[in-house]
Structures are given as structure tokens and as C-alpha cells.
Amino acid sequence: MPLDDDITPDATTGSAPASLIPPLDRTAVLLDIDGTLLDLAPTPREVWVPPELATTLKQLHERTGGALALVSGRSLNDIDLIFAPEVFPAIGGHGAEMRLQPDSEAVAAHAPPLDKELKRRLAAIAKLSPGILLEDKGYSLALHYRLAPQAEKAIYEAVSLIRAELPNAPIEVLPGKSVCEIKHSGFTKATGVLELMTHEPFRGRRPFFIGDDVTDETVFAIMPDYEGLAFSVGRRATGVAGHFDGPGDVRAFLARLLDDDRDVKLS
């Protein structure tokens, strides 16, 4: 079973996971992508979107009246590329940019891009090993080492050295699953969600968020502010209502939400 039986202190023991979610017309569905909806791949470009997932997301978007959003460290352009031809509301770049509707223009969240010289110095770290992949997201820079796991320590040591030399640089280091990401401080996935929840059709709804990584913990922390729920993937994170074993379980859970009769609601 992908979710814990005792997933919340108030939940009835043995209740079906879907019974914790309000009717979809009163729910905001917020979903991380990599490691949550999609299985991790050797490189960011190699992830695969199962056709049934795209169908599920389209139907959830319709059933929620548009209150479904992808919440990712990827840029909006990158999100659109991997889900093409489908387009969804999304928060990209760890809260740096946002799109409220599939056909609306992206809105920057007042997040400045990384300083060019700082980015150049960080990018040079990729030369430590031929297996390190550099990803420039504009608002952040990611060093992927899934193909060079032995380089992890050297990468973080090099980043720490640069930060020590530039103590006033407004940057934040985000450790992830085989990736070290450096972004401008001052915005997070949580700040993006806080902004998102002030806009229609998300405003006034009870959200649930599913995420897998350290960068998702800021969103886990604010779900109680909206009487919402957070679920982690692959690990039992602090402060969540429950967890899924892997992305396949998340995809199955989302599909089941569409079939649920919605009679059982959050207490």
C-alpha cells in the first residue's frame, strides 16, 4: 500500500487515502514533477511522461476547474517541453516564475537571475568530472552528478569555497537527489505557492501537495495554513500526512481520485 494507514492523527485508521481529499471542485492539486510524478532518469532530459499521466492531469485540471499546478525546480519552458503538447498551470524555477492558466503568459515572481560572473564560476565546477552535467535555468544553476556519484563531495566543497569567497552573495544551495543546485535567495517553492493561492481558481481552496525532495519541504510546511495536506514520496518526511513509495504509486493515486465518489471528506 503506497500510503501509511495512520497518515494523520485525525484520520480514521484504515481509511482509504482518497478519503482525505476534499471534493475536487473545492481542492487545489499541487504536484512536484521529478521523483514525484515522474521516475528519475540518468539526466534531466531523459525523463519520460507516461501517456496515462498526461490524461490524468488533463482530467484533474478539468475536474478542479483549473486548480491544478505543477510545482518544480524546472523552468516553465522545460516543463512545457517534457509535457508537450500538454500545457498546465505551473510554478517554475523554485518559485521564480509562474503561469496561472495554460493559455496565459508566464509571470516572473520578482526573482533576479544569478549574477553572470557568479554563474560562470559555479559552472566551472562541472569540469571536475566528465560525468557532471550542467543545467542553466536562468534563476538557478544545477550540477547533476548522477553519472558521476564519486564527484559529490568535490562539488559541494567547490561550492562552499565560492560561497566563502563571496560571503555577501545572495545565494542559496539546494542539495537534491544527485544534484547540487544554486539559486538566488529570497524565493522558494513555498513563496511561489503562497502567491499562487491568492489567485483564482486556487484562492479559497484546500490544497494538497505531493513532493519528494528537500526543496519540497518549504511547501510541506505551509499546507496547514490552508487546512491542506502534504504527502512525501520515497521517504517519510517531517510534517506530512503520509508518504508514497514511488512515482508509480502517486500516478495510480491521482488516477483513483478521478474515480472516487468524493463522499468522504476531510474532517
Side-chain angles (χ1 to χ4, degrees):
M1 187 173 181
L3 272 161
D4 303 334
D5 289 322
D6 56 344
I7 53 182
T8 66
D10 298 325
T12 301
T13 301
S15 62
S19 69
L20 296 173
I21 307 302
L24 291 176
D25 61 0
R26 294 193 284 112
T27 299
V29 181
L30 310 176
L31 305 165
D32 174 51
I33 298 175
D34 295 278
T36 297
L37 289 177
L38 305 181
D39 296 285
L40 295 174
T43 70
R45 296 295 182 187
E46 293 181 75
V47 295
W48 179 67
V49 179
E52 62 272 17
L53 172 62
T55 299
T56 296
L57 293 178
K58 285 177 60 179
Q59 292 178 350
L60 282 171
H61 183 257
E62 294 171 1
R63 290 274 297 276
T64 58
L68 173 143
L70 304 176
V71 183
S72 178
R74 290 179 182 264
S75 67
L76 292 183
N77 284 338
D78 203 23
I79 293 170
D80 291 347
L81 282 175
I82 62 175
F83 283 96
E86 309 302 336
V87 179
F88 299 102
I91 293 169
H94 296 287
E97 49 185 354
M98 178 186 307
R99 179 175 56 224
L100 296 173
Q101 299 175 8
D103 58 353
S104 66
E105 293 292 328
V107 177
H110 310 294
L114 283 176
D115 176 80
K116 289 183 179 180
E117 176 60 20
L118 174 61
K119 187 181 293 186
R120 184 191 66 79
R121 293 187 63 179
L122 291 168
I125 297 174
K127 297 179 181 179
L128 290 173
S129 171
I132 300 174
L133 300 179
L134 179 67
E135 183 182 11
D136 184 355
K137 302 180 182 181
Y139 300 103
S140 68
L141 188 145
L143 296 159
H144 298 270
Y145 53 88
R146 189 172 299 276
L147 300 179
Q150 75 284 352
E152 177 180 8
K153 182 179 179 181
I155 289 172
Y156 280 98
E157 287 178 346
V159 171
S160 295
L161 180 60
I162 292 173
R163 294 190 73 188
E165 294 173 352
L166 302 169
N168 296 322
I171 59 174
E172 180 181 1
V173 178
L174 304 176
K177 295 178 179 178
S178 297
V179 62
C180 174
E181 188 161 356
I182 305 93
K183 72 174 185 64
H184 202 287
S185 60
F187 62 92
T188 63
K189 287 185 177 182
T191 62
V193 169
L194 288 170
E195 173 67 21
L196 180 79
M197 295 299 293
T198 67
H199 297 277
E200 295 292 348
F202 299 90
R203 183 166 50 205
R205 290 175 178 249
R206 300 178 74 177
F208 74 87
F209 172 70
I210 309 177
D212 74 303
D213 215 339
V214 174
T215 60
D216 298 313
E217 293 178 358
T218 60
V219 185
F220 295 161
I222 64 171
M223 284 297 100
D225 297 344
Y226 299 96
E227 298 184 2
L229 292 170
F231 301 98
S232 58
V233 183
R235 63 191 178 98
R236 194 185 301 266
T238 302
V240 298
H243 81 279
F244 296 89
D245 289 337
D249 298 311
V250 175
R251 295 191 292 266
F253 171 71
L254 295 175
R256 286 199 303 274
L257 285 182
L258 294 167
D259 298 328
D260 190 83
D261 61 12
R262 321 312 305 130
D263 286 338
V264 183
K265 303 177 183 179
L266 281 171
S267 59

Coordinates of all heavy atoms in Angstrom, one line a residue, residues 136-198:
D136 N 21.6 25.2 -16.8 CA 21.4 26.6 -16.5 C 19.9 26.9 -16.6 O 19.4 26.8 -17.7 CB 22.2 27.4 -17.5 CG 22.1 28.9 -17.2 OD1 21.4 29.3 -16.3 OD2 22.8 29.7 -17.9
K137 N 19.3 27.2 -15.5 CA 17.9 27.5 -15.5 C 17.6 29.0 -15.5 O 16.4 29.4 -15.4 CB 17.2 26.9 -14.3 CG 17.4 25.4 -14.2 CD 16.7 24.8 -13.0 CE 17.0 23.3 -12.9 NZ 16.3 22.7 -11.7
G138 N 18.6 29.8 -15.6 CA 18.4 31.3 -15.6 C 18.4 31.8 -14.2 O 19.3 32.5 -13.7
Y139 N 17.4 31.4 -13.4 CA 17.3 31.8 -12.0 C 18.2 30.9 -11.1 O 18.4 31.3 -9.9 CB 15.9 31.7 -11.5 CG 14.9 32.6 -12.3 CD1 14.1 32.0 -13.3 CD2 14.9 34.0 -12.1 CE1 13.2 32.8 -14.0 CE2 14.0 34.8 -12.8 CZ 13.2 34.2 -13.7 OH 12.3 35.0 -14.5
S140 N 18.6 29.8 -11.6 CA 19.5 28.9 -10.8 C 20.4 28.2 -11.7 O 20.2 28.2 -13.0 CB 18.6 28.0 -10.0 OG 17.9 27.1 -10.8
L141 N 21.4 27.5 -11.1 CA 22.3 26.6 -11.9 C 22.4 25.3 -11.2 O 22.6 25.3 -9.9 CB 23.6 27.3 -12.0 CG 24.6 26.6 -12.9 CD1 25.5 27.7 -13.6 CD2 25.5 25.7 -12.1
A142 N 22.2 24.2 -11.9 CA 22.2 22.9 -11.3 C 23.4 22.1 -11.8 O 23.7 22.1 -13.0 CB 20.9 22.2 -11.6
L143 N 24.0 21.4 -10.9 CA 25.1 20.5 -11.2 C 24.7 19.1 -10.9 O 24.6 18.7 -9.7 CB 26.4 20.8 -10.4 CG 27.0 22.2 -10.6 CD1 27.8 22.7 -9.5 CD2 27.8 22.2 -11.9
H144 N 24.4 18.3 -11.9 CA 23.9 16.9 -11.8 C 25.0 16.0 -11.8 O 25.9 16.0 -12.7 CB 22.9 16.6 -12.9 CG 21.7 17.4 -13.0 ND1 20.5 17.1 -12.3 CD2 21.5 18.6 -13.6 CE1 19.6 18.1 -12.6 NE2 20.2 19.0 -13.4
Y145 N 25.1 15.1 -10.8 CA 26.2 14.1 -10.7 C 25.7 12.7 -10.6 O 26.4 11.8 -10.1 CB 27.1 14.5 -9.5 CG 26.4 14.6 -8.2 CD1 26.2 13.5 -7.4 CD2 26.0 15.9 -7.8 CE1 25.6 13.7 -6.1 CE2 25.4 16.0 -6.5 CZ 25.2 14.9 -5.7 OH 24.6 15.1 -4.5
R146 N 24.5 12.4 -11.1 CA 24.0 11.0 -11.1 C 25.0 10.1 -11.9 O 25.1 8.9 -11.6 CB 22.6 11.0 -11.7 CG 21.9 9.6 -11.5 CD 20.5 9.7 -12.0 NE 19.7 10.6 -11.1 CZ 19.2 10.3 -10.0 NH1 19.4 9.1 -9.5 NH2 18.6 11.2 -9.3
L147 N 25.6 10.7 -13.0 CA 26.5 9.9 -13.8 C 28.0 10.0 -13.2 O 28.9 9.3 -13.8 CB 26.5 10.4 -15.2 CG 25.2 10.3 -15.9 CD1 25.3 10.9 -17.4 CD2 24.7 8.9 -16.0
A148 N 28.2 10.7 -12.2 CA 29.5 10.8 -11.5 C 29.3 10.9 -10.0 O 29.7 11.9 -9.4 CB 30.2 12.1 -12.1
P149 N 28.8 9.9 -9.4 CA 28.5 10.0 -8.0 C 29.7 10.2 -7.1 O 29.6 10.8 -6.0 CB 27.9 8.6 -7.7 CG 28.3 7.7 -8.8 CD 28.4 8.6 -10.0
Q150 N 30.9 9.8 -7.6 CA 32.1 10.0 -6.9 C 32.5 11.5 -6.7 O 33.3 11.8 -5.9 CB 33.3 9.2 -7.5 CG 33.8 9.9 -8.8 CD 32.9 9.7 -10.0 OE1 32.0 9.0 -10.0 NE2 33.3 10.3 -11.1
A151 N 31.9 12.3 -7.5 CA 32.2 13.7 -7.5 C 31.4 14.6 -6.5 O 31.6 15.8 -6.4 CB 32.0 14.3 -8.9
E152 N 30.5 13.9 -5.8 CA 29.6 14.7 -4.9 C 30.3 15.5 -3.9 O 30.1 16.8 -3.8 CB 28.6 13.7 -4.2 CG 27.7 14.4 -3.2 CD 26.8 13.4 -2.5 OE1 27.0 12.2 -2.6 OE2 25.9 13.9 -1.7
K153 N 31.2 14.9 -3.2 CA 32.0 15.7 -2.2 C 32.7 16.9 -2.8 O 32.7 18.0 -2.2 CB 32.9 14.7 -1.4 CG 33.7 15.4 -0.3 CD 34.6 14.4 0.4 CE 35.4 15.1 1.5 NZ 36.3 14.2 2.2
A154 N 33.4 16.6 -3.9 CA 34.2 17.7 -4.6 C 33.3 18.8 -5.0 O 33.7 20.0 -4.9 CB 35.0 17.1 -5.7
I155 N 32.1 18.5 -5.5 CA 31.2 19.5 -5.9 C 30.8 20.5 -4.8 O 30.9 21.7 -4.9 CB 29.9 18.9 -6.6 CG1 30.3 18.3 -7.9 CG2 28.8 20.0 -6.8 CD1 29.1 17.5 -8.5
Y156 N 30.4 19.9 -3.7 CA 30.0 20.7 -2.6 C 31.1 21.4 -1.9 O 30.9 22.6 -1.4 CB 29.2 19.8 -1.5 CG 27.8 19.5 -1.9 CD1 27.5 18.3 -2.5 CD2 26.8 20.4 -1.7 CE1 26.2 18.0 -2.9 CE2 25.5 20.2 -2.1 CZ 25.2 19.0 -2.7 OH 23.9 18.7 -3.1
E157 N 32.3 20.9 -1.9 CA 33.5 21.6 -1.4 C 33.8 22.8 -2.3 O 34.1 23.9 -1.8 CB 34.7 20.6 -1.4 CG 34.6 19.6 -0.2 CD 35.8 18.7 -0.2 OE1 36.5 18.6 -1.2 OE2 35.9 18.0 0.8
A158 N 33.6 22.6 -3.6 CA 33.9 23.7 -4.5 C 32.9 24.8 -4.4 O 33.2 26.0 -4.4 CB 33.9 23.2 -6.0
V159 N 31.6 24.5 -4.2 CA 30.6 25.5 -4.0 C 30.8 26.2 -2.7 O 30.7 27.4 -2.6 CB 29.2 24.8 -4.0 CG1 28.1 25.8 -3.6 CG2 28.9 24.2 -5.4
S160 N 31.2 25.5 -1.6 CA 31.4 26.1 -0.3 C 32.6 27.1 -0.4 O 32.6 28.1 0.2 CB 31.7 25.0 0.7 OG 30.6 24.2 1.0
L161 N 33.6 26.7 -1.2 CA 34.7 27.6 -1.3 C 34.3 29.0 -2.0 O 34.7 30.0 -1.6 CB 35.8 27.0 -2.2 CG 37.1 27.8 -2.4 CD1 37.8 28.2 -1.1 CD2 38.1 27.0 -3.3
I162 N 33.5 28.8 -3.0 CA 33.0 30.0 -3.7 C 32.1 30.9 -2.8 O 32.3 32.1 -2.7 CB 32.2 29.7 -5.0 CG1 33.1 29.0 -6.0 CG2 31.5 30.9 -5.6 CD1 32.4 28.5 -7.2
R163 N 31.3 30.2 -2.0 CA 30.5 31.0 -1.0 C 31.3 31.7 0.0 O 31.0 32.8 0.5 CB 29.5 30.0 -0.4 CG 28.5 29.4 -1.3 CD 27.4 28.7 -0.6 NE 26.5 29.7 0.1 CZ 25.5 29.3 1.0 NH1 25.4 28.0 1.3 NH2 24.7 30.2 1.5
A164 N 32.4 31.0 0.4 CA 33.3 31.6 1.4 C 34.0 32.9 0.9 O 34.2 33.8 1.6 CB 34.3 30.6 1.9
E165 N 34.3 32.8 -0.4 CA 35.0 33.9 -1.0 C 34.0 35.1 -1.3 O 34.4 36.2 -1.5 CB 35.6 33.5 -2.3 CG 36.8 32.5 -2.1 CD 37.3 31.9 -3.4 OE1 36.7 32.2 -4.5 OE2 38.4 31.2 -3.4
L166 N 32.7 34.7 -1.4 CA 31.7 35.7 -1.7 C 30.6 35.7 -0.6 O 29.5 35.3 -0.9 CB 31.1 35.5 -3.1 CG 32.0 35.5 -4.3 CD1 31.3 35.0 -5.5 CD2 32.6 36.9 -4.5
P167 N 30.9 36.0 0.6 CA 30.0 35.8 1.7 C 28.7 36.7 1.6 O 27.7 36.3 2.2 CB 30.8 36.2 2.9 CG 31.9 37.2 2.4 CD 32.2 36.6 1.1
N168 N 28.8 37.7 0.8 CA 27.6 38.6 0.7 C 26.8 38.3 -0.5 O 25.7 38.9 -0.7 CB 28.1 40.1 0.6 CG 28.7 40.5 1.9 OD1 28.3 40.1 3.0 ND2 29.8 41.3 1.8
A169 N 27.2 37.3 -1.3 CA 26.4 36.9 -2.4 C 25.0 36.3 -2.0 O 25.0 35.4 -1.2 CB 27.1 35.9 -3.3
P170 N 23.9 36.8 -2.5 CA 22.6 36.4 -2.0 C 22.2 35.1 -2.7 O 21.3 35.0 -3.6 CB 21.7 37.5 -2.4 CG 22.3 38.1 -3.6 CD 23.8 37.9 -3.4
I171 N 22.9 34.0 -2.3 CA 22.6 32.7 -3.0 C 22.3 31.7 -1.9 O 22.6 31.8 -0.8 CB 23.8 32.2 -3.9 CG1 25.0 32.1 -3.0 CG2 24.0 33.1 -5.0 CD1 26.2 31.4 -3.8
E172 N 21.6 30.6 -2.4 CA 21.2 29.5 -1.6 C 21.5 28.2 -2.3 O 21.3 28.1 -3.5 CB 19.7 29.6 -1.3 CG 19.1 28.4 -0.4 CD 17.6 28.6 -0.2 OE1 17.0 29.5 -0.8 OE2 17.1 27.7 0.5
V173 N 22.1 27.3 -1.5 CA 22.4 26.0 -2.1 C 21.4 25.0 -1.8 O 21.0 24.8 -0.6 CB 23.8 25.5 -1.6 CG1 24.1 24.1 -2.1 CG2 24.9 26.5 -1.9
L174 N 20.8 24.3 -2.8 CA 19.8 23.3 -2.6 C 20.3 21.9 -2.9 O 20.5 21.5 -4.1 CB 18.6 23.6 -3.5 CG 18.0 25.0 -3.4 CD1 16.9 25.2 -4.5 CD2 17.4 25.2 -2.0
P175 N 20.6 21.1 -1.9 CA 21.0 19.7 -2.2 C 19.8 18.9 -2.6 O 18.7 19.0 -1.9 CB 21.6 19.3 -0.8 CG 20.9 20.1 0.2 CD 20.6 21.4 -0.5
G176 N 20.0 18.1 -3.6 CA 18.9 17.3 -4.1 C 19.4 15.9 -4.3 O 20.4 15.4 -3.9
K177 N 18.6 15.1 -5.1 CA 18.9 13.7 -5.4 C 19.9 13.7 -6.6 O 19.5 13.9 -7.7 CB 17.7 12.9 -5.7 CG 16.7 12.8 -4.6 CD 15.4 12.0 -4.9 CE 14.5 11.8 -3.7 NZ 13.3 11.2 -4.1
S178 N 21.2 13.5 -6.2 CA 22.3 13.5 -7.2 C 22.3 14.9 -7.9 O 22.7 14.9 -9.1 CB 22.1 12.4 -8.2 OG 22.2 11.1 -7.5
V179 N 22.0 16.0 -7.3 CA 22.1 17.3 -7.9 C 22.4 18.3 -6.8 O 21.9 18.2 -5.7 CB 20.8 17.7 -8.6 CG1 19.6 17.7 -7.7 CG2 21.0 19.0 -9.4
C180 N 23.3 19.3 -7.1 CA 23.5 20.4 -6.3 C 23.1 21.6 -7.1 O 23.6 21.9 -8.1 CB 25.0 20.5 -5.9 SG 25.5 22.0 -5.0
E181 N 22.1 22.3 -6.5 CA 21.5 23.5 -7.2 C 21.8 24.7 -6.5 O 21.6 24.8 -5.2 CB 20.0 23.3 -7.5 CG 19.4 24.3 -8.4 CD 18.1 23.9 -9.0 OE1 17.7 22.7 -8.7 OE2 17.5 24.7 -9.7
I182 N 22.2 25.8 -7.2 CA 22.4 27.1 -6.5 C 21.5 28.1 -7.2 O 21.4 28.2 -8.4 CB 23.9 27.5 -6.8 CG1 24.9 26.4 -6.3 CG2 24.2 28.8 -6.1 CD1 25.3 25.4 -7.4
K183 N 20.8 28.8 -6.3 CA 19.8 29.8 -6.8 C 19.9 31.1 -6.0 O 20.5 31.1 -4.9 CB 18.4 29.2 -6.7 CG 17.8 29.2 -5.3 CD 16.4 28.8 -5.3 CE 15.8 28.8 -3.9 NZ 15.7 30.2 -3.3
H184 N 19.3 32.1 -6.5 CA 19.3 33.4 -5.8 C 18.4 33.2 -4.6 O 17.3 32.5 -4.7 CB 18.7 34.4 -6.7 CG 19.1 35.8 -6.3 ND1 18.5 36.5 -5.2 CD2 19.9 36.7 -6.8 CE1 19.0 37.7 -5.1 NE2 19.8 37.9 -6.1
S185 N 18.8 33.7 -3.5 CA 17.9 33.5 -2.3 C 16.7 34.5 -2.3 O 16.7 35.4 -3.1 CB 18.8 33.9 -1.0 OG 19.3 35.2 -1.1
G186 N 15.8 34.2 -1.5 CA 14.6 35.1 -1.4 C 13.4 34.6 -2.0 O 12.3 35.1 -1.8
F187 N 13.5 33.5 -2.7 CA 12.3 32.8 -3.2 C 12.4 31.3 -3.1 O 13.5 30.8 -3.2 CB 12.0 33.2 -4.7 CG 13.0 32.9 -5.7 CD1 13.0 31.7 -6.4 CD2 14.1 33.7 -5.9 CE1 14.0 31.4 -7.3 CE2 15.1 33.4 -6.8 CZ 15.0 32.2 -7.5
T188 N 11.3 30.6 -2.9 CA 11.3 29.2 -2.8 C 10.0 28.7 -3.4 O 9.2 29.4 -3.9 CB 11.3 28.7 -1.3 OG1 10.1 29.2 -0.7 CG2 12.5 29.3 -0.6
K189 N 9.9 27.3 -3.5 CA 8.6 26.8 -3.9 C 7.5 27.3 -3.1 O 6.4 27.5 -3.6 CB 8.7 25.3 -3.9 CG 9.6 24.7 -5.0 CD 9.5 23.1 -5.0 CE 10.3 22.5 -6.1 NZ 10.2 21.0 -6.2
A190 N 7.7 27.4 -1.8 CA 6.7 27.9 -0.9 C 6.2 29.3 -1.2 O 5.0 29.6 -1.2 CB 7.2 27.8 0.6
T191 N 7.2 30.2 -1.5 CA 6.8 31.6 -1.8 C 6.0 31.6 -3.1 O 5.0 32.4 -3.3 CB 8.0 32.5 -2.0 OG1 8.8 32.1 -3.1 CG2 8.8 32.6 -0.7
G192 N 6.3 30.7 -4.0 CA 5.5 30.5 -5.3 C 4.1 30.1 -5.0 O 3.1 30.6 -5.5
V193 N 4.0 29.1 -4.1 CA 2.6 28.6 -3.7 C 1.8 29.6 -3.0 O 0.6 29.8 -3.2 CB 2.8 27.3 -2.9 CG1 1.4 26.9 -2.3 CG2 3.3 26.1 -3.8
L194 N 2.5 30.3 -2.1 CA 1.8 31.4 -1.4 C 1.2 32.4 -2.4 O 0.0 32.9 -2.2 CB 2.7 32.1 -0.4 CG 3.1 31.3 0.8 CD1 4.3 32.0 1.6 CD2 1.9 31.1 1.8
E195 N 1.9 32.8 -3.4 CA 1.4 33.7 -4.4 C 0.3 33.1 -5.2 O -0.7 33.7 -5.5 CB 2.6 34.1 -5.3 CG 2.2 35.0 -6.5 CD 1.6 36.3 -6.1 OE1 1.9 36.8 -5.0 OE2 0.9 36.9 -6.9
L196 N 0.5 31.8 -5.6 CA -0.5 31.1 -6.4 C -1.8 31.1 -5.7 O -2.9 31.3 -6.3 CB 0.0 29.7 -6.7 CG -0.9 28.8 -7.5 CD1 -0.8 29.1 -9.0 CD2 -0.6 27.3 -7.2
M197 N -1.8 30.8 -4.4 CA -3.0 30.6 -3.7 C -3.8 31.9 -3.5 O -4.9 31.9 -2.9 CB -2.8 30.0 -2.3 CG -2.2 28.5 -2.4 SD -3.4 27.4 -3.2 CE -4.7 27.3 -2.0
T198 N -3.3 33.1 -3.9 CA -4.0 34.3 -3.8 C -4.8 34.6 -5.1 O -5.6 35.5 -5.2 CB -3.1 35.5 -3.6 OG1 -2.2 35.7 -4.8 CG2 -2.2 35.3 -2.4

